[in-house]
């Protein structure tokens, strides 16, 4: 779910080589999240808010973003060292999340309409530590959108352990089936047990939605030809069945399945750039690039904006429009001022103390290529003629020595000075 582009400007994302299809999915599902929160969930949680004649009642956006997150986690993991990859995921997610919790908690404490619940500083600290699923009876969400983050962190950590530290590395498809079977086995226990340690383990690690990450990785394996389409479709279908069982909402399960089909089409099919007018491409890429920041900032603060406008007599359409605009504005500020600068600074620090290793694997993964033999040292080239100054005159050739010429002075093999016999007669 985290943004993949580099800054908050409109111009720079236009040079991205990523398919526009992915940006359409991320921007579209983010809009679905905000419409669900503003037109349906807001009046349910705050009945004093005016309701619209039309509402979007389907919680499908965040689930689809988890599928997209699983897909791109697999894309980036195959190109990087697992530990460096895992650190990069944390650098992308956590600093922006911590700042979002602090800002949202402060706004709720200072600007909430009278009578609305406001968090204590203990609640804010517990949300920064993601304790809401571990102790829901004690720690309340500052923003309910945060429920997806522990699932991502658990999935990323499991991928790190398998890819870097596990001595047994099963094929990727075997690992995905294992996760789905384990989740299916744990769900009845979670429903029928009242044992608190198990509930903390199950909900705290996000096992109830791990199938969404599995579906995203399965689509990646199909797109890269690692498994067949029939095999990948079986993984996706089982994941959707688990989603329908756990949500107990047929309409929502169908909606997530349709959006999963769109993810599949984006992964294995052609780009959608020709289907969308070119003048919309920069705005779509920009919205997709700030989607993580928007996701963190839009719900609780958006409800406060709607509540204040409702107290001032604004119409429901104005309230919803103001919530959408506030979420986009605050999401852009969080992305430009916190997420990207923090990610850049932390990755530079990581690279200083954990430099990347030279990868000898071919593109796309696989076994390491054999080391190529070192080339032999090239023969020495003859010296170039002197280009500056006069050349040294050639040494005159030594004249041949006749039998009556004296033998030149020199040293024998033992180092003694030698000289020819007297009279110049050769011995």
């Amino acid at each position: 779910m985290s943004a993949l582009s580099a800054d908050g400007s409109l111009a720079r994302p236009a040079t991205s080589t990523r398919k526009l299809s992915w940006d359409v999915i991320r921007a579209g599902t983010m809009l679905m999240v905000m419409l669900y929160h503003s037109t349906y969930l807001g009046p349910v949680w705050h009945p004093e808010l005016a309701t619209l004649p039309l509402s979007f009642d389907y919680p499908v956006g965040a689930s689809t973003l988890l599928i997209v997150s699983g897909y791109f986690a697999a894309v980036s993991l195959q190109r990087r060292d697992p530990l460096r990859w895992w650190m990069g995921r944390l650098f992308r997610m956590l600093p922006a999340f911590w700042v979002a919790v602090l800002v949202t908690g402060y706004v709720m404490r200072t600007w909430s309409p009278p009578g609305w619940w406001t968090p204590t500083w203990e609640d804010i600290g517990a949300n920064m530590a993601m304790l809401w699923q571990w102790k829901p009876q004690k720690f309340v969400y500052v923003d309910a959108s945060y429920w997806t983050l522990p699932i991502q962190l658990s999935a990323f950590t499991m991928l790190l352990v398998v890819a870097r530290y596990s001595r047994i590395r099963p094929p990727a498809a075997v690992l995905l089936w294992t996760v789905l079977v384990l989740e299916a086995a744990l769900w009845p226990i979670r429903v029928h047990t009242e044992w608190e340690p198990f509930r903390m383990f199950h909900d705290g690690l996000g096992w109830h939605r791990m199938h969404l990450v599995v579906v995203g990785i399965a689509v990646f394996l199909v797109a890269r030809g690692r498994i067949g389409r029939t095999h990948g479709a079986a993984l996706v279908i089982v994941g959707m069945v688990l989603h329908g069982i756990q949500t107990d909402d047929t309409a929502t399960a169908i909606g997530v399945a349709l959006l999963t089909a769109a993810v599949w089409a984006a992964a294995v099919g052609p780009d959608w750039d020709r289907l969308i007018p070119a003048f919309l491409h920069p705005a779509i890429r920009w919205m997709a690039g700030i989607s993580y920041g928007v996701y963190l900032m839009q719900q609780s603060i958006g409800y406060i904006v709607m509540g204040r406008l409702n107290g001032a007599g604004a119409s429901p359409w104005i309230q919803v429009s103001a919530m959408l605009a506030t979420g986009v504005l605050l999401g852009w500020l969080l992305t430009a001022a916190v997420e990207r600068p923090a990610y850049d600074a932390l990755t530079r620090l990581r690279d200083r103390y954990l430099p990347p290793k030279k990868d000898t694997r071919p593109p796309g993964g696989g076994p390491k290529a054999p080391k190529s033999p070192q080339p032999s040292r090239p023969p020495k080239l003859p010296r170039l003629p002197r280009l500056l100054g006069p050349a040294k005159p050639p040494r005159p050739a030594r004249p041949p020595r006749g039998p009556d010429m004296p033998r030149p002075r020199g040293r024998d093999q033992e180092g003694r000075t030698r000289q020819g016999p007297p009279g110049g007669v050769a011995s």
Side-chain angles (χ1 to χ4, degrees), residues 304-375:
I304 293 174
V305 172
M306 292 179 67
R308 289 295 183 179
L309 290 175
N310 183 71
S315 68
W317 291 107
I318 294 178
Q319 296 176 33
V320 170
S321 300
M323 177 178 178
L324 298 180
T326 301
V328 172
L329 176 61
L330 294 180
W332 171 74
L333 289 174
L334 182 68
T335 303
V338 178
E339 180 196 349
R340 289 166 181 166
Y343 177 78
D344 292 340
L346 291 172
T347 50
R348 286 194 299 267
L349 187 65
R350 177 200 63 187
D351 294 343
R352 180 184 303 175
Y353 294 101
L354 187 64
K357 298 179 181 179
K358 186 177 181 181
D359 193 0
T360 59
R361 292 175 298 179
K368 293 185 177 181
K371 294 184 178 180
S372 57
Q374 296 294 330

Side-chain angles (χ1 to χ4, degrees), residues 226-297:
R226 303 272 294 276
I227 61 175
R229 296 194 176 189
T230 302
H231 191 174
L235 285 165
V236 171
I237 291 172
V238 172
M240 293 299 100
V241 170
L242 287 174
H243 194 74
I245 293 174
Q246 296 182 17
T247 59
D248 195 21
D249 187 343
T250 303
T252 297
I254 293 174
V256 174
L258 293 175
L259 290 172
T260 303
V263 172
W264 183 294
V268 304
D271 198 359
W272 304 347
D273 53 348
R274 296 184 179 181
L275 303 177
I276 299 173
F279 71 90
L280 293 177
H281 293 187
I284 292 173
R285 291 195 183 279
W286 180 76
M287 184 63 189
I290 65 172
S291 59
Y292 180 54
V294 174
Y295 184 83
L296 293 176
M297 300 298 294

Side-chain angles (χ1 to χ4, degrees), residues 84-235:
R84 289 172 52 82
W85 166 83
W86 181 79
M87 294 173 68
R89 294 299 89 200
L90 267 59
F91 296 161
R92 178 71 74 182
M93 295 175 58
L94 293 182
F97 166 70
W98 289 330
V99 173
V101 173
L102 289 173
V103 173
T104 301
Y106 175 78
V107 171
M108 294 177 70
R109 288 176 59 86
T110 55
W111 292 349
S112 291
W116 286 26
W117 175 82
T118 57
T120 64
W121 287 111
E122 182 183 5
D123 295 326
I124 294 173
N127 273 255
M128 294 180 70
M130 301 185 188
L131 297 180
W132 53 77
Q133 293 284 37
W134 296 88
K135 282 287 186 179
Q137 65 274 23
K138 182 177 180 181
F139 303 115
V140 183
Y141 281 107
V142 170
D143 191 308
S145 297
Y146 300 159
W147 68 270
T148 61
L149 273 74
I151 300 172
Q152 289 179 281
L153 292 179
S154 298
F156 296 160
T157 303
M158 284 192 291
L159 289 173
L160 167 69
V161 171
V162 172
R164 184 179 176 90
Y165 300 107
S166 176
R167 295 184 178 180
I168 301 176
R169 297 184 181 180
V174 174
L175 181 63
L176 297 185
W177 281 115
T178 301
V179 173
L180 290 178
V181 170
L182 184 59
E183 180 183 344
L186 292 177
W187 178 249
I189 302 175
R190 170 65 182 88
V191 172
H192 298 289
T193 189
E194 297 182 358
W195 190 38
E196 183 63 12
F198 177 81
R199 189 210 60 78
M200 293 174 63
F201 160 78
H202 184 274
D203 297 358
L205 297 180
W207 275 103
H208 59 297
R209 292 294 184 272
M210 203 61 66
H211 60 274
L212 297 172
V213 180
V214 168
V215 167
I217 299 175
V219 174
F220 163 79
L221 295 177
V222 172
R224 296 304 170 92
R226 303 272 294 276
I227 61 175
R229 296 194 176 189
T230 302
H231 191 174
L235 285 165

